[in-house]
PDB file of all heavy atoms in Angstrom:
ATOM      1  N   ALA A 127      25.830  -0.284 -57.921  1.00 97.00           N
ATOM      2  CA  ALA A 127      26.381  -1.359 -58.756  1.00 97.00           C
ATOM      3  C   ALA A 127      27.767  -1.736 -58.252  1.00 97.00           C
ATOM      4  O   ALA A 127      28.074  -2.938 -58.162  1.00 97.00           O
ATOM      5  CB  ALA A 127      26.433  -0.936 -60.215  1.00 97.00           C
ATOM      6  N   SER A 128      28.616  -0.770 -57.922  1.00 97.00           N
ATOM      7  CA  SER A 128      29.933  -1.065 -57.416  1.00 97.00           C
ATOM      8  C   SER A 128      29.895  -1.799 -56.087  1.00 97.00           C
ATOM      9  O   SER A 128      30.658  -2.750 -55.862  1.00 97.00           O
ATOM     10  CB  SER A 128      30.741   0.229 -57.263  1.00 97.00           C
ATOM     11  OG  SER A 128      30.923   0.867 -58.493  1.00 97.00           O
ATOM     12  N   LEU A 129      28.998  -1.399 -55.199  1.00 98.00           N
ATOM     13  CA  LEU A 129      28.858  -2.049 -53.915  1.00 98.00           C
ATOM     14  C   LEU A 129      28.406  -3.482 -54.058  1.00 98.00           C
ATOM     15  O   LEU A 129      28.910  -4.390 -53.345  1.00 98.00           O
ATOM     16  CB  LEU A 129      27.889  -1.275 -53.026  1.00 98.00           C
ATOM     17  CG  LEU A 129      28.397   0.106 -52.580  1.00 98.00           C
ATOM     18  CD1 LEU A 129      27.282   0.892 -51.918  1.00 98.00           C
ATOM     19  CD2 LEU A 129      29.577  -0.018 -51.615  1.00 98.00           C
ATOM     20  N   LEU A 130      27.472  -3.721 -54.937  1.00 98.00           N
ATOM     21  CA  LEU A 130      27.019  -5.122 -55.159  1.00 98.00           C
ATOM     22  C   LEU A 130      28.144  -5.980 -55.746  1.00 98.00           C
ATOM     23  O   LEU A 130      28.318  -7.141 -55.365  1.00 98.00           O
ATOM     24  CB  LEU A 130      25.812  -5.137 -56.073  1.00 98.00           C
ATOM     25  CG  LEU A 130      24.535  -4.418 -55.528  1.00 98.00           C
ATOM     26  CD1 LEU A 130      23.467  -4.366 -56.620  1.00 98.00           C
ATOM     27  CD2 LEU A 130      24.034  -5.100 -54.282  1.00 98.00           C
ATOM     28  N   GLU A 131      28.907  -5.395 -56.657  1.00 97.00           N
ATOM     29  CA  GLU A 131      30.045  -6.107 -57.228  1.00 97.00           C
ATOM     30  C   GLU A 131      31.088  -6.406 -56.155  1.00 97.00           C
ATOM     31  O   GLU A 131      31.689  -7.483 -56.151  1.00 97.00           O
ATOM     32  CB  GLU A 131      30.657  -5.289 -58.364  1.00 97.00           C
ATOM     33  CG  GLU A 131      31.756  -5.990 -59.116  1.00 97.00           C
ATOM     34  CD  GLU A 131      32.336  -5.153 -60.232  1.00 97.00           C
ATOM     35  OE1 GLU A 131      31.941  -3.975 -60.394  1.00 97.00           O
ATOM     36  OE2 GLU A 131      33.184  -5.681 -60.945  1.00 97.00           O
ATOM     37  N   MET A 132      31.347  -5.443 -55.269  1.00 97.00           N
ATOM     38  CA  MET A 132      32.280  -5.691 -54.180  1.00 97.00           C
ATOM     39  C   MET A 132      31.812  -6.818 -53.271  1.00 97.00           C
ATOM     40  O   MET A 132      32.608  -7.666 -52.839  1.00 97.00           O
ATOM     41  CB  MET A 132      32.481  -4.417 -53.346  1.00 97.00           C
ATOM     42  CG  MET A 132      33.260  -3.316 -54.047  1.00 97.00           C
ATOM     43  SD  MET A 132      33.450  -1.902 -52.936  1.00 97.00           S
ATOM     44  CE  MET A 132      33.311  -0.543 -54.101  1.00 97.00           C
ATOM     45  N   MET A 133      30.538  -6.823 -52.973  1.00 97.00           N
ATOM     46  CA  MET A 133      29.993  -7.880 -52.127  1.00 97.00           C
ATOM     47  C   MET A 133      30.186  -9.244 -52.762  1.00 97.00           C
ATOM     48  O   MET A 133      30.589 -10.205 -52.110  1.00 97.00           O
ATOM     49  CB  MET A 133      28.518  -7.602 -51.871  1.00 97.00           C
ATOM     50  CG  MET A 133      27.902  -8.447 -50.782  1.00 97.00           C
ATOM     51  SD  MET A 133      28.488  -8.001 -49.162  1.00 97.00           S
ATOM     52  CE  MET A 133      27.779  -9.358 -48.230  1.00 97.00           C
ATOM     53  N   ALA A 134      29.920  -9.338 -54.053  1.00 97.00           N
ATOM     54  CA  ALA A 134      30.172 -10.609 -54.759  1.00 97.00           C
ATOM     55  C   ALA A 134      31.627 -11.011 -54.670  1.00 97.00           C
ATOM     56  O   ALA A 134      31.944 -12.177 -54.433  1.00 97.00           O
ATOM     57  CB  ALA A 134      29.728 -10.480 -56.215  1.00 97.00           C
ATOM     58  N   GLY A 135      32.512 -10.038 -54.836  1.00 96.00           N
ATOM     59  CA  GLY A 135      33.941 -10.303 -54.787  1.00 96.00           C
ATOM     60  C   GLY A 135      34.394 -10.797 -53.408  1.00 96.00           C
ATOM     61  O   GLY A 135      35.243 -11.694 -53.310  1.00 96.00           O
ATOM     62  N   LEU A 136      33.793 -10.248 -52.354  1.00 97.00           N
ATOM     63  CA  LEU A 136      34.130 -10.711 -50.997  1.00 97.00           C
ATOM     64  C   LEU A 136      33.723 -12.158 -50.823  1.00 97.00           C
ATOM     65  O   LEU A 136      34.420 -12.958 -50.193  1.00 97.00           O
ATOM     66  CB  LEU A 136      33.469  -9.831 -49.946  1.00 97.00           C
ATOM     67  CG  LEU A 136      33.994  -8.395 -49.822  1.00 97.00           C
ATOM     68  CD1 LEU A 136      33.109  -7.614 -48.866  1.00 97.00           C
ATOM     69  CD2 LEU A 136      35.436  -8.404 -49.317  1.00 97.00           C
ATOM     70  N   ILE A 137      32.571 -12.491 -51.370  1.00 97.00           N
ATOM     71  CA  ILE A 137      32.053 -13.891 -51.191  1.00 97.00           C
ATOM     72  C   ILE A 137      32.923 -14.919 -51.888  1.00 97.00           C
ATOM     73  O   ILE A 137      33.274 -15.948 -51.332  1.00 97.00           O
ATOM     74  CB  ILE A 137      30.593 -13.990 -51.723  1.00 97.00           C
ATOM     75  CG1 ILE A 137      29.649 -13.105 -50.850  1.00 97.00           C
ATOM     76  CG2 ILE A 137      30.138 -15.429 -51.720  1.00 97.00           C
ATOM     77  CD1 ILE A 137      28.271 -12.902 -51.490  1.00 97.00           C
ATOM     78  N   ILE A 138      33.322 -14.615 -53.132  1.00 95.00           N
ATOM     79  CA  ILE A 138      34.069 -15.607 -53.914  1.00 95.00           C
ATOM     80  C   ILE A 138      35.559 -15.445 -53.881  1.00 95.00           C
ATOM     81  O   ILE A 138      36.290 -16.235 -54.475  1.00 95.00           O
ATOM     82  CB  ILE A 138      33.576 -15.643 -55.392  1.00 95.00           C
ATOM     83  CG1 ILE A 138      33.837 -14.300 -56.089  1.00 95.00           C
ATOM     84  CG2 ILE A 138      32.115 -16.033 -55.433  1.00 95.00           C
ATOM     85  CD1 ILE A 138      33.538 -14.329 -57.581  1.00 95.00           C
ATOM     86  N   GLY A 139      36.053 -14.399 -53.202  1.00 94.00           N
ATOM     87  CA  GLY A 139      37.499 -14.227 -53.088  1.00 94.00           C
ATOM     88  C   GLY A 139      38.162 -13.506 -54.228  1.00 94.00           C
ATOM     89  O   GLY A 139      39.319 -13.706 -54.568  1.00 94.00           O
ATOM     90  N   ARG A 140      37.416 -12.583 -54.853  1.00 92.00           N
ATOM     91  CA  ARG A 140      37.968 -11.811 -55.969  1.00 92.00           C
ATOM     92  C   ARG A 140      39.086 -10.866 -55.530  1.00 92.00           C
ATOM     93  O   ARG A 140      39.922 -10.470 -56.347  1.00 92.00           O
ATOM     94  CB  ARG A 140      36.817 -11.014 -56.591  1.00 92.00           C
ATOM     95  CG  ARG A 140      37.092 -10.419 -57.953  1.00 92.00           C
ATOM     96  CD  ARG A 140      35.845  -9.773 -58.517  1.00 92.00           C
ATOM     97  NE  ARG A 140      34.878 -10.780 -58.919  1.00 92.00           N
ATOM     98  CZ  ARG A 140      33.553 -10.589 -58.874  1.00 92.00           C
ATOM     99  NH1 ARG A 140      33.046  -9.454 -58.444  1.00 92.00           N
ATOM    100  NH2 ARG A 140      32.718 -11.537 -59.271  1.00 92.00           N
ATOM    101  N   PHE A 141      39.122 -10.528 -54.258  1.00 90.00           N
ATOM    102  CA  PHE A 141      40.121  -9.587 -53.751  1.00 90.00           C
ATOM    103  C   PHE A 141      41.136 -10.319 -52.849  1.00 90.00           C
ATOM    104  O   PHE A 141      41.787  -9.681 -52.028  1.00 90.00           O
ATOM    105  CB  PHE A 141      39.442  -8.474 -52.951  1.00 90.00           C
ATOM    106  CG  PHE A 141      38.251  -7.896 -53.662  1.00 90.00           C
ATOM    107  CD1 PHE A 141      36.977  -8.040 -53.144  1.00 90.00           C
ATOM    108  CD2 PHE A 141      38.399  -7.215 -54.845  1.00 90.00           C
ATOM    109  CE1 PHE A 141      35.886  -7.518 -53.798  1.00 90.00           C
ATOM    110  CE2 PHE A 141      37.320  -6.692 -55.518  1.00 90.00           C
ATOM    111  CZ  PHE A 141      36.065  -6.845 -55.009  1.00 90.00           C
ATOM    112  N   GLY A 142      41.295 -11.577 -53.059  1.00 86.00           N
ATOM    113  CA  GLY A 142      42.183 -12.402 -52.239  1.00 86.00           C
ATOM    114  C   GLY A 142      41.397 -13.651 -51.815  1.00 86.00           C
ATOM    115  O   GLY A 142      40.664 -14.204 -52.626  1.00 86.00           O
ATOM    116  N   GLN A 143      41.515 -14.047 -50.595  1.00 84.00           N
ATOM    117  CA  GLN A 143      40.722 -15.175 -50.122  1.00 84.00           C
ATOM    118  C   GLN A 143      39.272 -14.755 -49.913  1.00 84.00           C
ATOM    119  O   GLN A 143      38.968 -13.603 -49.632  1.00 84.00           O
ATOM    120  CB  GLN A 143      41.318 -15.729 -48.794  1.00 84.00           C
ATOM    121  CG  GLN A 143      42.621 -16.451 -48.960  1.00 84.00           C
ATOM    122  CD  GLN A 143      43.000 -17.202 -47.714  1.00 84.00           C
ATOM    123  OE1 GLN A 143      42.473 -16.963 -46.628  1.00 84.00           O
ATOM    124  NE2 GLN A 143      43.908 -18.153 -47.852  1.00 84.00           N
ATOM    125  N   SER A 144      38.393 -15.740 -50.006  1.00 87.00           N
ATOM    126  CA  SER A 144      36.986 -15.508 -49.746  1.00 87.00           C
ATOM    127  C   SER A 144      36.840 -14.972 -48.298  1.00 87.00           C
ATOM    128  O   SER A 144      37.396 -15.502 -47.380  1.00 87.00           O
ATOM    129  CB  SER A 144      36.177 -16.819 -49.894  1.00 87.00           C
ATOM    130  OG  SER A 144      34.864 -16.617 -49.476  1.00 87.00           O
ATOM    131  N   ALA A 145      36.061 -13.901 -48.165  1.00 91.00           N
ATOM    132  CA  ALA A 145      35.880 -13.309 -46.851  1.00 91.00           C
ATOM    133  C   ALA A 145      34.899 -14.140 -46.032  1.00 91.00           C
ATOM    134  O   ALA A 145      33.937 -14.728 -46.556  1.00 91.00           O
ATOM    135  CB  ALA A 145      35.335 -11.890 -46.984  1.00 91.00           C
ATOM    136  N   GLY A 146      35.157 -14.235 -44.734  1.00 92.00           N
ATOM    137  CA  GLY A 146      34.252 -14.978 -43.866  1.00 92.00           C
ATOM    138  C   GLY A 146      32.905 -14.268 -43.734  1.00 92.00           C
ATOM    139  O   GLY A 146      32.758 -13.102 -44.130  1.00 92.00           O
ATOM    140  N   ALA A 147      31.966 -14.982 -43.143  1.00 93.00           N
ATOM    141  CA  ALA A 147      30.614 -14.434 -42.982  1.00 93.00           C
ATOM    142  C   ALA A 147      30.618 -13.150 -42.178  1.00 93.00           C
ATOM    143  O   ALA A 147      29.824 -12.224 -42.433  1.00 93.00           O
ATOM    144  CB  ALA A 147      29.692 -15.457 -42.373  1.00 93.00           C
ATOM    145  N   ASP A 148      31.507 -13.052 -41.178  1.00 95.00           N
ATOM    146  CA  ASP A 148      31.558 -11.844 -40.351  1.00 95.00           C
ATOM    147  C   ASP A 148      32.000 -10.645 -41.175  1.00 95.00           C
ATOM    148  O   ASP A 148      31.469  -9.525 -40.976  1.00 95.00           O
ATOM    149  CB  ASP A 148      32.468 -12.055 -39.133  1.00 95.00           C
ATOM    150  CG  ASP A 148      33.893 -12.526 -39.517  1.00 95.00           C
ATOM    151  OD1 ASP A 148      34.054 -13.032 -40.631  1.00 95.00           O
ATOM    152  OD2 ASP A 148      34.786 -12.315 -38.680  1.00 95.00           O
ATOM    153  N   VAL A 149      32.981 -10.822 -42.042  1.00 96.00           N
ATOM    154  CA  VAL A 149      33.448  -9.712 -42.891  1.00 96.00           C
ATOM    155  C   VAL A 149      32.338  -9.323 -43.888  1.00 96.00           C
ATOM    156  O   VAL A 149      32.093  -8.136 -44.117  1.00 96.00           O
ATOM    157  CB  VAL A 149      34.741 -10.089 -43.618  1.00 96.00           C
ATOM    158  CG1 VAL A 149      35.163  -8.992 -44.600  1.00 96.00           C
ATOM    159  CG2 VAL A 149      35.858 -10.353 -42.610  1.00 96.00           C
ATOM    160  N   GLN A 150      31.703 -10.310 -44.477  1.00 97.00           N
ATOM    161  CA  GLN A 150      30.608 -10.034 -45.411  1.00 97.00           C
ATOM    162  C   GLN A 150      29.507  -9.265 -44.716  1.00 97.00           C
ATOM    163  O   GLN A 150      28.992  -8.268 -45.245  1.00 97.00           O
ATOM    164  CB  GLN A 150      30.032 -11.352 -45.959  1.00 97.00           C
ATOM    165  CG  GLN A 150      31.007 -12.133 -46.834  1.00 97.00           C
ATOM    166  CD  GLN A 150      30.395 -13.455 -47.269  1.00 97.00           C
ATOM    167  OE1 GLN A 150      29.209 -13.566 -47.468  1.00 97.00           O
ATOM    168  NE2 GLN A 150      31.231 -14.499 -47.344  1.00 97.00           N
ATOM    169  N   GLN A 151      29.127  -9.716 -43.514  1.00 97.00           N
ATOM    170  CA  GLN A 151      28.046  -9.025 -42.796  1.00 97.00           C
ATOM    171  C   GLN A 151      28.449  -7.621 -42.417  1.00 97.00           C
ATOM    172  O   GLN A 151      27.651  -6.676 -42.529  1.00 97.00           O
ATOM    173  CB  GLN A 151      27.665  -9.795 -41.533  1.00 97.00           C
ATOM    174  CG  GLN A 151      26.527  -9.148 -40.762  1.00 97.00           C
ATOM    175  CD  GLN A 151      25.993  -9.978 -39.650  1.00 97.00           C
ATOM    176  OE1 GLN A 151      26.511 -11.078 -39.375  1.00 97.00           O
ATOM    177  NE2 GLN A 151      24.954  -9.510 -39.004  1.00 97.00           N
ATOM    178  N   ASP A 152      29.671  -7.406 -42.019  1.00 97.00           N
ATOM    179  CA  ASP A 152      30.149  -6.079 -41.666  1.00 97.00           C
ATOM    180  C   ASP A 152      30.068  -5.128 -42.864  1.00 97.00           C
ATOM    181  O   ASP A 152      29.579  -3.996 -42.729  1.00 97.00           O
ATOM    182  CB  ASP A 152      31.585  -6.140 -41.123  1.00 97.00           C
ATOM    183  CG  ASP A 152      32.090  -4.790 -40.657  1.00 97.00           C
ATOM    184  OD1 ASP A 152      31.545  -4.242 -39.695  1.00 97.00           O
ATOM    185  OD2 ASP A 152      33.055  -4.269 -41.262  1.00 97.00           O
ATOM    186  N   PHE A 153      30.506  -5.599 -44.029  1.00 98.00           N
ATOM    187  CA  PHE A 153      30.448  -4.782 -45.250  1.00 98.00           C
ATOM    188  C   PHE A 153      28.988  -4.495 -45.597  1.00 98.00           C
ATOM    189  O   PHE A 153      28.637  -3.357 -45.913  1.00 98.00           O
ATOM    190  CB  PHE A 153      31.161  -5.503 -46.385  1.00 98.00           C
ATOM    191  CG  PHE A 153      31.302  -4.655 -47.611  1.00 98.00           C
ATOM    192  CD1 PHE A 153      32.410  -3.834 -47.789  1.00 98.00           C
ATOM    193  CD2 PHE A 153      30.354  -4.674 -48.617  1.00 98.00           C
ATOM    194  CE1 PHE A 153      32.561  -3.032 -48.907  1.00 98.00           C
ATOM    195  CE2 PHE A 153      30.482  -3.889 -49.736  1.00 98.00           C
ATOM    196  CZ  PHE A 153      31.600  -3.054 -49.876  1.00 98.00           C
ATOM    197  N   PHE A 154      28.158  -5.522 -45.545  1.00 98.00           N
ATOM    198  CA  PHE A 154      26.745  -5.341 -45.877  1.00 98.00           C
ATOM    199  C   PHE A 154      26.084  -4.352 -44.945  1.00 98.00           C
ATOM    200  O   PHE A 154      25.396  -3.397 -45.365  1.00 98.00           O
ATOM    201  CB  PHE A 154      26.014  -6.701 -45.796  1.00 98.00           C
ATOM    202  CG  PHE A 154      24.552  -6.654 -46.178  1.00 98.00           C
ATOM    203  CD1 PHE A 154      24.160  -6.914 -47.478  1.00 98.00           C
ATOM    204  CD2 PHE A 154      23.582  -6.356 -45.237  1.00 98.00           C
ATOM    205  CE1 PHE A 154      22.808  -6.891 -47.842  1.00 98.00           C
ATOM    206  CE2 PHE A 154      22.235  -6.293 -45.581  1.00 98.00           C
ATOM    207  CZ  PHE A 154      21.858  -6.558 -46.875  1.00 98.00           C
ATOM    208  N   ASP A 155      26.314  -4.518 -43.626  1.00 98.00           N
ATOM    209  CA  ASP A 155      25.686  -3.675 -42.642  1.00 98.00           C
ATOM    210  C   ASP A 155      26.141  -2.216 -42.743  1.00 98.00           C
ATOM    211  O   ASP A 155      25.360  -1.293 -42.476  1.00 98.00           O
ATOM    212  CB  ASP A 155      25.962  -4.190 -41.237  1.00 98.00           C
ATOM    213  CG  ASP A 155      25.208  -5.475 -40.902  1.00 98.00           C
ATOM    214  OD1 ASP A 155      24.292  -5.831 -41.658  1.00 98.00           O
ATOM    215  OD2 ASP A 155      25.540  -6.112 -39.882  1.00 98.00           O
ATOM    216  N   LYS A 156      27.374  -1.997 -43.117  1.00 98.00           N
ATOM    217  CA  LYS A 156      27.889  -0.635 -43.209  1.00 98.00           C
ATOM    218  C   LYS A 156      27.537   0.072 -44.505  1.00 98.00           C
ATOM    219  O   LYS A 156      27.214   1.259 -44.518  1.00 98.00           O
ATOM    220  CB  LYS A 156      29.431  -0.652 -43.070  1.00 98.00           C
ATOM    221  CG  LYS A 156      29.979  -0.883 -41.685  1.00 98.00           C
ATOM    222  CD  LYS A 156      31.472  -0.838 -41.725  1.00 98.00           C
ATOM    223  CE  LYS A 156      32.101  -1.036 -40.375  1.00 98.00           C
ATOM    224  NZ  LYS A 156      33.593  -1.048 -40.481  1.00 98.00           N
ATOM    225  N   HIS A 157      27.599  -0.675 -45.626  1.00 98.00           N
ATOM    226  CA  HIS A 157      27.607   0.018 -46.903  1.00 98.00           C
ATOM    227  C   HIS A 157      26.419  -0.298 -47.835  1.00 98.00           C
ATOM    228  O   HIS A 157      26.189   0.424 -48.790  1.00 98.00           O
ATOM    229  CB  HIS A 157      28.935  -0.318 -47.660  1.00 98.00           C
ATOM    230  CG  HIS A 157      30.131   0.018 -46.871  1.00 98.00           C
ATOM    231  ND1 HIS A 157      30.438   1.298 -46.478  1.00 98.00           N
ATOM    232  CD2 HIS A 157      31.128  -0.771 -46.334  1.00 98.00           C
ATOM    233  CE1 HIS A 157      31.567   1.323 -45.786  1.00 98.00           C
ATOM    234  NE2 HIS A 157      31.978   0.091 -45.682  1.00 98.00           N
ATOM    235  N   ILE A 158      25.679  -1.378 -47.557  1.00 98.00           N
ATOM    236  CA  ILE A 158      24.549  -1.743 -48.381  1.00 98.00           C
ATOM    237  C   ILE A 158      23.224  -1.687 -47.585  1.00 98.00           C
ATOM    238  O   ILE A 158      22.251  -1.048 -48.014  1.00 98.00           O
ATOM    239  CB  ILE A 158      24.751  -3.154 -49.011  1.00 98.00           C
ATOM    240  CG1 ILE A 158      25.960  -3.133 -49.923  1.00 98.00           C
ATOM    241  CG2 ILE A 158      23.504  -3.618 -49.755  1.00 98.00           C
ATOM    242  CD1 ILE A 158      26.373  -4.499 -50.474  1.00 98.00           C
ATOM    243  N   GLY A 159      23.210  -2.342 -46.461  1.00 97.00           N
ATOM    244  CA  GLY A 159      22.010  -2.432 -45.641  1.00 97.00           C
ATOM    245  C   GLY A 159      21.331  -1.094 -45.288  1.00 97.00           C
ATOM    246  O   GLY A 159      20.072  -1.034 -45.297  1.00 97.00           O
ATOM    247  N   PRO A 160      22.058  -0.051 -44.939  1.00 98.00           N
ATOM    248  CA  PRO A 160      21.412   1.176 -44.490  1.00 98.00           C
ATOM    249  C   PRO A 160      20.616   1.939 -45.570  1.00 98.00           C
ATOM    250  O   PRO A 160      19.863   2.847 -45.217  1.00 98.00           O
ATOM    251  CB  PRO A 160      22.589   2.021 -43.998  1.00 98.00           C
ATOM    252  CG  PRO A 160      23.674   1.078 -43.694  1.00 98.00           C
ATOM    253  CD  PRO A 160      23.544  -0.023 -44.714  1.00 98.00           C
ATOM    254  N   TRP A 161      20.796   1.590 -46.846  1.00 98.00           N
ATOM    255  CA  TRP A 161      20.136   2.419 -47.861  1.00 98.00           C
ATOM    256  C   TRP A 161      19.673   1.674 -49.106  1.00 98.00           C
ATOM    257  O   TRP A 161      18.775   2.166 -49.825  1.00 98.00           O
ATOM    258  CB  TRP A 161      21.087   3.554 -48.303  1.00 98.00           C
ATOM    259  CG  TRP A 161      22.221   3.068 -49.159  1.00 98.00           C
ATOM    260  CD1 TRP A 161      23.349   2.411 -48.744  1.00 98.00           C
ATOM    261  CD2 TRP A 161      22.316   3.155 -50.581  1.00 98.00           C
ATOM    262  NE1 TRP A 161      24.161   2.113 -49.818  1.00 98.00           N
ATOM    263  CE2 TRP A 161      23.554   2.552 -50.935  1.00 98.00           C
ATOM    264  CE3 TRP A 161      21.525   3.722 -51.576  1.00 98.00           C
ATOM    265  CZ2 TRP A 161      23.995   2.472 -52.275  1.00 98.00           C
ATOM    266  CZ3 TRP A 161      21.941   3.624 -52.899  1.00 98.00           C
ATOM    267  CH2 TRP A 161      23.155   3.031 -53.227  1.00 98.00           C
ATOM    268  N   ALA A 162      20.216   0.501 -49.391  1.00 98.00           N
ATOM    269  CA  ALA A 162      19.915  -0.131 -50.680  1.00 98.00           C
ATOM    270  C   ALA A 162      18.461  -0.497 -50.819  1.00 98.00           C
ATOM    271  O   ALA A 162      17.917  -0.452 -51.949  1.00 98.00           O
ATOM    272  CB  ALA A 162      20.828  -1.367 -50.848  1.00 98.00           C
TER     273      ALA A 162
END
Side-chain angles (χ1 to χ4, degrees):
S128 297
L129 291 169
L130 297 173
E131 185 179 4
M132 288 181 218
M133 192 71 189
L136 290 173
I137 295 168
I138 63 173
R140 194 175 288 150
F141 313 114
Q143 288 192 343
S144 174
D148 55 339
V149 175
Q150 294 176 35
Q151 181 171 3
D152 184 64
F153 188 88
F154 183 94
D155 288 348
K156 285 181 180 177
H157 305 297
I158 297 174
W161 72 283

